[in-house]
Amino acid sequence: MEIKLKCIECDKSTEDGVTCRCKCGGLLDVVLDLDSLRGKVSKELFNSRLGSRKFPYMSGVWRFRELINPLLSEREIVSRPEGNTNLYRHERVGQYVGIKNISLKHEGENPTGSFKDRGMTSGISEAKRLRMNVVACASTGNTAASLAAYASLAGMKSVVFIPEGMIAFGKLSQAMAYGAKVLQIKGNFDDAMSLVQESSHELKMYLLNSINPWRIEGQKSIIFELIQQFDWEPPDWVVVPAGNLGNTSAFGKAFYELAELELIDKVPRIASIQATGADPFYRTWKGNLPGLKAVKNPETIATAIKIGNPVSWKKALRTIKLTNGLVEEVTDQEIMDAKAIVDGSGIGCEPASAASVAGAKKLRDAGVIDKNESVACIITGNILKDPDATINYHLSKLKEISPRFANKPTVIEPTIEAVRKEIS
Ligand code: F0G
């Protein structure tokens, strides 16, 4: 089988499998040979691997191996294993959003606590095939945690570029603990992103941000697994938080391939949700602008998506067009209130993840999503990633946010009377 890395701008294939951009500067796509896959892959094949204990099929990524990276041998696959994340339904979430048929796919259940593991198993495995020794990324935290873990698992060195003082502690602690070389950049994520691109090129480090097309291939499995959980009958909408736009890009490619292979007969609309203070993709899409309207000093409590100049915006725009989708933005207040609802339902997530639920609510309130439509929201990261945001919300300590659903702890004397007073 042939796999091509093709430029999305000039359509030329590249022979060099290591760089992430075409000579013309365009982003690269992995182009699978769908003709030769037709007939070879089926719902039955993927269903037969469900619950398998066999490597690598126990992974919710490699269960779809033929659609991720058919060239890899089993020795080259580096897997924890990842995926197999749950779909949750909860009346409280449905009532809050105003949609009965709403499910949350919890990508925070991945090995390092975010969806990044799906792209990372794919990216690190390709790095192994290419015999790379050093891998690198810029990150708002989760990519760094995931890269550090998978690199150590594979026996590679990892270098992570993070904006100093701007990432949640849970994520920073993971990157340090898993053994990455942590470079704290005096600047924001966008500065770190441009520095890692320059450094990886000069210093021969394999770049594993979602600009790497193999990351996108792995992240497609969120959709493959979601649709399998829906018994191959897609919902009307898929709603996803959006920062550097890797997921939005991956989701469109996944649906394109599923439709081409006739594994689904309808493509859901994708709603990509940004935070109001970090909304370059929203501004670009809303204004129908020819180029990206970058945001110079992005600001949001959802530090995972605090990004002003997302690298994958052209691929993401392709997804929005392909799926008749849309881009929306939500305020920090809306994000934190939605998070409190998701948390209070026993599901739990980090702030950026709640952007999907807040976005679904906003689109429902505006009548864009009908109350009878089915909606899947992607929950991208685990509640434990950013305990500061959670605690400060409940203690009313967040600037410019009034917590509608605060659950403040009380300090009491160690007596039964004091307990009785509190619980009566
Ligand atoms: N949610 C979480 C929890 C994230 O960590 C990220 C991105 C996103 C949403 C946005 O996804 O970039 O595919 O649009 N985090 C990256 C990182 C940027 O470095 O961990 P996206």
Side-chain angles (χ1 to χ4, degrees), residues 317-347:
L317 201 55
R318 190 174 63 176
T319 289
I320 301 300
K321 286 182 182 156
L322 175 88
T323 67
N324 186 27
L326 53 82
V327 189
E328 187 51 275
E329 61 175 3
V330 288
T331 62
D332 282 3
Q333 177 78 51
E334 289 169 315
I335 287 174
M336 291 308 286
D337 284 337
K339 172 174 150 56
I341 296 293
V342 175
D343 294 351
S345 304
I347 298 166

Side-chain angles (χ1 to χ4, degrees), residues 370-418:
D370 187 84
K371 68 175 187 325
N372 295 318
E373 286 185 299
S374 55
V375 176
C377 286
I378 308 301
I379 297 295
T380 45
N382 193 287
I383 188 174
L384 296 173
K385 291 278 190 172
D386 191 354
D388 288 344
T390 308
I391 287 178
N392 289 332
Y393 175 88
H394 291 289
L395 295 182
S396 304
K397 281 189 178 168
L398 297 176
K399 254 194 273 159
E400 289 164 33
I401 289 179
S402 35
R404 281 173 64 197
F405 308 106
N407 177 24
K408 205 173 164 190
T410 16
V411 180
I412 59 163
E413 293 300 326
T415 63
I416 186 76
E417 288 74 31

Side-chain angles (χ1 to χ4, degrees), residues 240-261:
V240 61
N244 216 18
L245 300 174
N247 259 350
T248 304
S249 303
F251 288 12
K253 191 168 189 289
F255 279 122
Y256 171 78
E257 290 170 359
L258 287 179
E260 281 290 304
L261 293 166

Side-chain angles (χ1 to χ4, degrees), residues 114-116 138-144 171 189 209-210 219 241-248 304-305 307 350 352-353 380-381:
S114 84
F115 71 92
K116 303 288 180 182
S139 180
T140 55
N142 281 325
T143 305
K171 305 173 189 182
F189 170 82
N209 277 99
S210 55
Q219 282 169 217
N244 216 18
L245 300 174
N247 259 350
T248 304
I305 52 174
I307 295 173
E350 69 161 288
S353 311
T380 45

